[in-house]
Amino acid sequence: MLVFLVDDDPIQNMINSQLVRLYDDKIEYMVYNNGVEVIQGLEEGLLPDIILLDINMPIMSGFEFLNLYQHYTNAANVFMLSSSDNEDDRKQAKKYSCVEGYVIKPVSKEVVHDILLSADKRKSQGS
Amino acid sequence: MSAKNTSVSKSRLNLPVLDILEEAGVCFSIKGNDLEFIYQSKALNKLLGIARLYTNDFEIFIPEIAYEIAQEDSLISTSGVAEDVDRVLITKKGKELIVRVKRSIVNHKGETLLVTIYTDITKQSQNKQFEAYKKVLTEGEVFEKMLNRFSQRIFSSQSRNDVFNGVGKLCLDLLDLQNLSIYIMDQEMLVLRKKEILINGEHIISKEITLNSVNIPLSEGVIGKCARTKTTITIDDVHLEHDGIRDIREFKSELAVPIIYHNEVLGVIDTESSSYARYTDKTKRIIEGLASLLAIKLHEIESKEYIEAKNEQLHSLVKNNPNAIAMLDNKGNYMQVSDDWMRQFVSSKHDSILGLNHFELNPNIPSRWKKLMDKAYSGVHQVMQKEGYKRRNGEIAFFKGKINPWFLKKGEVGGIIILADNITESVNAEVRLLKSTEELEEAKLIGQLYNWEIDIEKGTIQVDTGKQNIPGVENGRQYNLDAFFQFIDTGYHADFNQAIDHAIAGNGEFSLIHPFRVKSRVFWMDNRGKVITENGAIILVKGTAHNITDQIDAENAYKQKNRELKQLNRELDQFVYKTAHDLRAPLANILGLVDLMRMEENPKILATYFDLQQKSVSKLDTFIQEITNYTKNTRLPLKRDEINFGTIVDGVLRDHMFIAGSDQVQKNLNVEKSKLYYSDCERITIVLNNLIANAIKFRDDEKENSFVEIDVKSEGKYIHIRVRDNGIGIPDEFKDKVFDMFYRAHKSAEGSGIGLYIVRETVRKLGGSILLKTEEGAYTEFNILLPNTKF
């Protein structure tokens, strides 16, 4: 399984990668600082199963990224990360079919565990 | 007469003779009045396409003639006399064959047998089914049966094309025709549009009749004449007929039959043949019969289309009407409404209201309107005069309208049509007019009204400024019009002349609103005037100028204020959103780290977590500081202090001493000495603090000597502050945006993006300006000009 961790905050990225490793220390994950970097990763042929996506990022925000990403075939399940619970953001996120959930920071071990477990299940059913 | 399929063993009566001869045949034993099945040859099975025993031989024929065959069989079995006949036979696959039927009575081992042999002559048969029918039926019966088949086919068809295809197929089966066309009358164009059905004995799959089809004018040819005279025309030799359109094709005879419904010609059936005198009375009768069937069907289709088109027309008429129109059925449900109706009376949450109930949708309809609608429902037209109502958004709107009943065919009221004309504008204009007349009186009292007269012949204007003085304008002086134009904006000169011309040529009234410029002040004047005649000649335009400047200024100021408020509102919204986000982000980090630390035992890793926590706390602290600065700038009144740049920069540098990377950046301050600088000390600190912090944050680690230079000079009435670094610079595309609130041009998450916004806002508050010069990878330079005044 491949997980994309997208946040402009290096501390948040560090926390997220530790949480992913706590679930499975052999899990593959990529860290990106903004939407443009993710697009570059995708263009290189990486096919993530899960994307944890921050909303507020410079260069290309989470929503700007989703505007492009929603047209990809085999779009991964995206979980939005936000430090504030904003109603407009939630509404906006719901418009994208690839967005699976909306997580308010701090991201807990349990939440990451649940996200990855369900992705694992989906993957084993699919194959 | 009945036939029984008795259990006869084949060995008893072995009749292989038919098989040996490869004849298709069947054999019955004659038992008194009954036929008893004996044998059926393999060749017959093959011919019929199935190995099935037939209990009697007429079962295999088309049902229409089964009865006749049964009669015939009965006759033969008693009389023993049989003639060869041609008949139509249907195979199991539904194919129609023409077969020659030979019957013979044979005596075999003491039994009397009826042996029937079928020979397939479909290919040879020239006369096809028509002849086949003819052999056994009387002419009248054939006629009736054929028309039956035509009528079944025609009346089960849904469209014109269906009808034509069906007719084509049956004509091919039943009539020996070379060519057949149906012409449809176009009542508007008075032409007959051609639809070819059969060409050279081939059935043409029908396409729609279009405007591009071959057209024959009513005035021309046999077809035209047939339609004009409404009579069948039979031509045995077209060469003797001067009405015939001389055709390069070698047709020799022609038959044209009009399709008439209630004395109205709907079209013409036309058929041509390459032999002379092809069309007998029989053919004519059949085609005429076909024409009368077609007449009924085509009329039916036409009426259906007409009704549909009318219905469509009505709906489209209502829908696209520029006025507000609604068509209701007898229960008050919307059948159709115009777009304008939707705009005016229906809340935007409804995409469509068709099918909804008018009274349920508008529960607050005043009772006087309901009364009018009730009367309309009883069949009486109603008129509504200037009705005012409050819209959902609180605006008062006015309309006048009509409520008309519409009627069903029988004269019953089918529903009502409401027409509403929005007259809000004109009512408002009326009100304004009324007000302005009142104001006119008022204006006179406060002396804002100036009388003037224009002498047409001399081309001069004279203004009576009364007790009120208009600066620059002399009371009572005759100005040359061209000279007077100095007071009027250039753009309005043409309008002014036009207004005069209009008054002279038109209804004698002069009307123009224009700006009136005296020195640097602009007034707005509303001019109203009238021409004055003497002995029939126009000599003067006399009028008053009403100073409406205050009114217009107030309106503009109000609009401006409104725009500003809206902008402020948007910014506030964004501010609250971003602040909530940026304040919470470091906290979320800290909480996330605490979570990780609980699960961590390695002291080295724990130490890094503590470091990160500290970073998050500083970030939060910085942000709170920034917000405080922002608020300070907006809320605190401007102060004027004597500025000591050395002290301020020292303070700023002290604050930044422990910031990451600070030690790698050389800081230089050059202040032009022996000058005094006045500004708001606290605000200058905010500005410099932000710019220096940015210089450190965005230093270029690839360069050997990173620096930031702060130059302060006095330039006339201004303080010029230049902050220049050799950092990473800003890409061109972000240059315009870096001053926007929360805009971050760089991908690092260090800042909130509010810094430069605060800088710009603070500089603005100080009454100065800021200019950015930068080159990506080279340098960033901010030039700030601030007014250098003591007060």
Side-chain angles (χ1 to χ4, degrees):
Chain A
M1 182 155 64
L2 178 58
V3 183
F4 276 14
L5 306 174
V6 192
D7 203 305
D8 60 324
D9 183 347
I11 298 177
Q12 187 63 51
N13 272 334
M14 195 279 295
I15 296 172
N16 289 345
S17 53
Q18 289 295 46
L19 291 175
V20 167
R21 280 214 293 266
L22 277 173
Y23 171 78
D24 174 2
D25 61 357
K26 287 182 198 71
I27 201 162
E28 285 182 77
Y29 64 91
M30 299 290 292
V31 175
Y32 299 105
N33 291 310
N34 59 60
V36 170
E37 291 182 8
V38 188
I39 293 288
Q40 281 162 358
L42 292 167
E43 294 302 317
E44 281 161 18
L46 293 176
L47 273 176
D49 299 290
I50 291 286
I51 299 178
L52 301 186
L53 182 67
D54 186 31
I55 294 177
N56 285 289
M57 293 181 287
I59 316 286
M60 186 192 275
S61 74
F63 288 132
E64 285 167 337
F65 164 72
L66 283 175
N67 284 338
L68 299 173
Y69 188 57
Q70 61 178 338
H71 301 297
Y72 277 61
T73 48
N74 308 322
N77 289 323
V78 177
F79 288 84
M80 307 304 289
L81 303 184
S82 176
S83 42
S84 62
D85 188 0
N86 182 285
E87 195 51 40
D88 288 344
D89 283 349
R90 267 184 195 275
K91 268 189 206 156
Q92 171 89 3
K94 270 187 190 151
K95 288 185 189 161
Y96 303 95
S97 58
C98 54
V99 173
E100 192 83 342
Y102 191 96
V103 181
I104 307 293
K105 295 175 190 173
V107 186
S108 70
K109 183 187 159 195
E110 287 74 25
V111 167
V112 172
H113 187 273
D114 287 351
I115 290 174
L116 297 178
L117 189 67
S118 65
D120 257 342
K121 275 185 190 159
R122 204 175 350 232
K123 208 164 165 130
S124 59
Q125 277 166 13
S127 55
Chain B
M1 171 99 192
S2 67
K4 273 186 250 164
N5 184 17
T6 51
S7 54
V8 179
S9 74
K10 280 191 185 162
S11 58
R12 179 169 72 98
L13 279 167
N14 198 354
L15 283 174
V17 67
L18 290 176
D19 284 333
I20 291 165
L21 293 172
E22 292 183 3
E23 296 262 29
V26 64
C27 179
F28 294 92
S29 168
I30 300 170
K31 296 278 165 69
N33 279 334
D34 290 347
L35 291 177
E36 191 183 290
F37 176 82
I38 301 289
Y39 186 71
Q40 181 175 330
S41 79
K42 284 171 189 156
L44 180 63
N45 290 344
K46 202 177 151 197
L47 186 74
L48 297 174
I50 188 156
R52 182 198 144 188
L53 294 178
Y54 285 86
T55 51
N56 53 48
D57 72 344
F58 55 78
E59 202 185 316
I60 64 179
F61 293 101
I62 56 169
E64 279 97 328
I65 54 172
Y67 179 72
E68 283 77 15
I69 293 165
Q71 293 286 326
E72 201 181 317
D73 283 348
S74 156
L75 208 70
I76 295 164
S77 60
T78 48
S79 68
V81 185
E83 249 182 88
D84 289 358
V85 289
D86 293 346
R87 284 210 183 119
V88 183
L89 177 155
I90 302 173
T91 71
K92 206 58 204 160
K93 282 177 184 161
K95 199 174 157 199
E96 292 188 7
L97 299 175
I98 318 276
V99 288
R100 180 144 300 155
V101 186
K102 287 180 205 273
R103 284 198 172 77
S104 36
I105 305 288
V106 180
N107 282 314
H108 181 77
K109 293 185 179 172
E111 283 194 79
T112 312
L113 303 179
L114 172 63
V115 180
T116 314
I117 291 168
Y118 307 94
T119 318
D120 182 3
I121 55 157
T122 312
K123 286 197 181 103
Q124 301 97 290
S125 168
Q126 291 297 317
N127 299 326
K128 301 194 175 169
Q129 283 143 294
F130 178 62
E131 295 301 322
Y133 282 131
K134 222 167 62 176
K135 281 287 187 317
V136 281
L137 301 179
T138 67
E139 211 173 87
E141 284 166 330
V142 170
F143 179 73
E144 191 184 316
K145 279 173 205 306
M146 283 175 114
L147 282 190
N148 264 340
R149 290 195 72 188
F150 273 118
S151 91
Q152 266 170 21
R153 190 67 199 239
I154 288 171
F155 288 105
S156 64
S157 298
Q158 296 300 321
S159 68
R160 270 197 200 85
N161 266 356
D162 252 11
V163 171
F164 294 152
N165 283 331
V167 166
K169 193 165 181 318
L170 284 177
C171 281
L172 196 67
D173 286 352
L174 302 177
L175 302 170
D176 180 27
L177 296 178
Q178 240 178 312
N179 290 281
L180 183 79
S181 295
I182 295 177
Y183 292 82
I184 297 298
M185 181 77 177
D186 184 327
Q187 299 288 2
E188 265 173 54
M189 309 292 295
L190 290 181
V191 291
L192 291 145
R193 300 197 189 282
K194 184 177 187 181
K195 172 77 227 127
E196 287 183 316
I197 308 282
L198 296 176
I199 295 177
N200 291 329
E202 298 280 333
H203 178 210
I204 307 300
I205 292 302
S206 196
K207 287 199 195 94
E208 266 306 327
I209 295 177
T210 67
L211 287 176
N212 299 327
S213 308
V214 174
N215 297 328
I216 295 190
L218 259 191
S219 54
E220 274 178 33
V222 175
I223 313 289
K225 185 177 173 185
C226 169
R228 277 198 318 275
T229 57
K230 299 178 184 169
T231 47
T232 300
I233 300 174
T234 317
I235 300 166
D236 290 339
D237 183 351
V238 292
H239 303 290
L240 301 175
E241 182 67 43
H242 48 246
D243 277 336
I245 294 173
R246 259 158 255 288
D247 206 316
I248 42 166
R249 289 173 300 178
E250 68 287 13
F251 292 119
K252 295 184 175 106
S253 53
E254 183 171 358
L255 172 68
V257 179
I259 304 170
I260 300 170
Y261 185 84
H262 280 283
N263 209 28
E264 184 193 337
V265 179
L266 303 182
V268 172
I269 304 177
D270 180 66
T271 170
E272 293 161 315
S273 167
S274 53
S275 28
Y276 292 108
R278 160 68 182 79
Y279 300 105
T280 58
D281 267 1
K282 288 175 212 155
T283 317
K284 190 178 135 188
R285 273 184 60 203
I286 289 282
I287 301 285
E288 280 176 345
L290 175 59
S292 55
L293 293 174
L294 276 177
I296 295 165
K297 184 65 186 182
L298 291 178
H299 178 261
E300 177 196 313
I301 291 175
E302 225 167 68
S303 326
K304 209 172 85 192
E305 284 174 350
Y306 179 78
I307 288 166
E308 277 168 8
K310 274 285 168 223
N311 201 20
E312 180 66 24
Q313 213 178 354
L314 179 68
H315 278 263
S316 132
L317 211 68
V318 172
K319 175 120 175 51
N320 300 320
N321 199 291
N323 299 312
I325 295 192
M327 185 173 173
L328 310 185
D329 67 10
N330 55 8
K331 292 185 187 71
N333 296 329
Y334 292 106
M335 296 174 70
Q336 186 59 264
V337 294
S338 69
D339 295 344
D340 194 50
W341 180 282
M342 291 296 288
R343 240 187 333 271
Q344 299 226 27
F345 302 117
V346 183
S347 140
S348 57
K349 69 179 183 210
H350 293 283
D351 287 336
S352 162
I353 54 167
L354 300 192
L356 301 183
N357 191 281
H358 179 70
F359 301 99
E360 281 168 21
L361 206 61
N362 305 287
N364 300 323
I365 295 179
S367 57
R368 66 175 186 287
W369 297 1
K370 272 192 188 149
K371 243 181 225 166
L372 291 175
M373 287 178 198
D374 284 346
K375 277 186 193 160
Y377 269 121
S378 71
V380 188
H381 294 251
Q382 300 297 317
V383 178
M384 303 164 99
Q385 309 277 14
K386 204 200 276 183
E387 296 282 345
Y389 74 108
K390 204 168 209 159
R391 290 204 181 170
R392 277 158 221 272
N393 64 9
E395 278 173 29
I396 304 283
F398 294 91
F399 67 85
K400 62 178 186 185
K402 285 178 187 165
I403 307 175
N404 293 340
W406 60 271
F407 298 91
L408 296 169
K409 223 176 181 178
K410 294 169 239 162
E412 289 169 35
V413 175
I416 56 172
I417 296 181
I418 309 172
L419 296 107
D421 195 1
N422 188 343
I423 51 165
T424 311
E425 251 323 296
S426 63
V427 171
N428 283 348
E430 259 172 54
V431 172
R432 272 200 300 273
L433 196 72
L434 203 69
K435 266 191 185 164
S436 73
T437 345
E438 282 167 8
E439 274 167 15
L440 203 69
E441 295 303 316
E442 234 171 82
K444 257 184 196 159
L445 290 177
I446 57 169
Q448 284 196 311
L449 214 62
Y450 311 99
N451 294 322
W452 50 259
E453 52 183 69
I454 297 168
D455 190 315
I456 301 296
E457 209 170 310
K458 289 189 205 153
T460 56
I461 182 165
Q462 187 182 326
V463 183
D464 172 17
T465 59
K467 285 172 196 161
Q468 292 285 316
N469 209 13
I470 308 178
V473 182
E474 281 177 47
N475 193 3
R477 174 179 158 186
Q478 290 226 334
Y479 281 92
N480 199 309
L481 260 180
D482 289 338
F484 190 77
F485 274 172
Q486 64 175 298
F487 301 113
I488 298 171
D489 273 20
T490 333
Y492 285 82
H493 294 175
D495 292 336
F496 198 99
N497 285 327
Q498 203 183 332
I500 295 175
D501 291 348
H502 186 78
I504 295 169
N507 57 2
E509 286 184 4
F510 177 96
S511 160
L512 180 70
I513 295 176
H514 66 84
F516 191 84
R517 207 172 275 278
V518 181
K519 293 181 180 155
S520 61
R521 276 213 66 186
V522 176
F523 303 94
W524 280 88
M525 294 293 185
D526 183 0
N527 288 284
R528 299 281 159 84
K530 262 197 156 68
V531 292
I532 308 291
T533 51
E534 201 179 270
N535 302 330
I538 296 166
I539 52 155
L540 291 174
V541 182
K542 214 170 174 177
T544 51
H546 178 202
N547 185 349
I548 55 166
T549 315
D550 289 351
Q551 224 169 299
I552 287 191
D553 279 354
E555 217 165 280
N556 285 341
Y558 166 76
K559 277 182 190 159
Q560 178 62 25
K561 206 78 218 152
N562 211 7
R563 267 198 296 273
E564 280 171 11
L565 274 173
K566 273 184 184 164
Q567 169 70 16
L568 195 66
N569 234 349
R570 268 197 298 276
E571 277 180 13
L572 266 176
D573 276 354
Q574 221 213 345
F575 184 77
V576 169
Y577 169 69
K578 284 284 190 174
T579 334
H581 179 268
D582 287 15
L583 277 173
R584 243 196 132 256
L587 280 175
N589 278 352
I590 295 165
L591 288 171
L593 287 165
V594 167
D595 232 15
L596 284 178
M597 287 162 90
R598 286 222 177 90
M599 296 175 273
E600 191 56 67
E601 279 158 13
N602 185 334
K604 275 189 187 168
I605 297 177
L606 273 175
T608 54
Y609 286 166
F610 276 119
D611 281 350
L612 292 175
Q613 278 202 351
Q614 189 172 5
K615 266 193 186 172
S616 300
V617 173
S618 319
K619 192 170 162 185
L620 189 56
D621 187 42
T622 313
F623 187 69
I624 291 170
Q625 190 62 44
E626 281 173 340
I627 294 298
T628 318
N629 288 343
Y630 169 82
T631 325
K632 264 186 200 163
N633 179 51
T634 30
R635 298 268 172 246
L636 288 185
L638 267 181
K639 279 190 283 183
R640 285 287 157 187
D641 314 305
E642 193 184 328
I643 306 290
N644 185 336
F645 280 97
T647 319
I648 291 179
V649 172
D650 278 352
V652 170
L653 292 182
R654 236 194 339 272
D655 286 349
H656 285 86
M657 214 184 290
F658 302 107
I659 300 281
S662 178
D663 49 338
Q664 293 159 45
V665 182
Q666 179 75 36
K667 297 116 189 159
N668 302 313
L669 171 70
N670 304 302
V671 184
E672 196 184 352
K673 296 276 160 46
S674 73
K675 296 277 181 187
L676 290 176
Y677 302 102
Y678 297 97
S679 191
D680 185 325
C681 187
E682 201 153 354
R683 289 193 164 88
I684 294 276
T685 311
I686 291 173
V687 170
L688 287 177
N689 192 38
N690 272 296
L691 293 180
I692 292 169
N694 275 356
I696 296 170
K697 206 185 293 171
F698 300 113
R699 68 188 180 278
D700 190 344
D701 284 331
E702 293 186 2
K703 292 188 182 117
E704 270 184 32
N705 304 308
S706 289
F707 65 82
V708 52
E709 281 173 2
I710 304 116
D711 292 297
V712 183
K713 281 189 291 183
S714 164
E715 282 177 9
K717 289 179 186 167
Y718 295 93
I719 310 170
H720 179 186
I721 306 169
R722 195 184 72 154
V723 179
R724 182 189 166 96
D725 65 44
N726 64 341
I728 56 176
I730 299 166
D732 266 358
E733 64 257 46
F734 305 132
K735 258 163 82 174
D736 298 337
K737 294 187 185 163
V738 289
F739 291 111
D740 291 352
M741 194 190 248
F742 301 112
Y743 188 81
R744 288 181 290 168
H746 295 281
K747 63 182 181 183
S748 97
E750 302 282 310
S752 56
I754 198 174
L756 285 180
Y757 174 77
I758 292 172
V759 168
R760 187 190 62 185
E761 290 305 300
T762 311
V763 169
R764 275 189 185 165
K765 194 88 181 184
L766 289 169
S769 63
I770 182 164
L771 193 74
L772 167 68
K773 280 206 286 189
T774 178
E775 195 184 317
E776 197 179 0
Y779 71 96
T780 304
E781 181 182 310
F782 292 95
N783 286 286
I784 301 168
L785 279 182
L786 299 173
N788 192 4
T789 49
K790 220 170 170 175
F791 303 102

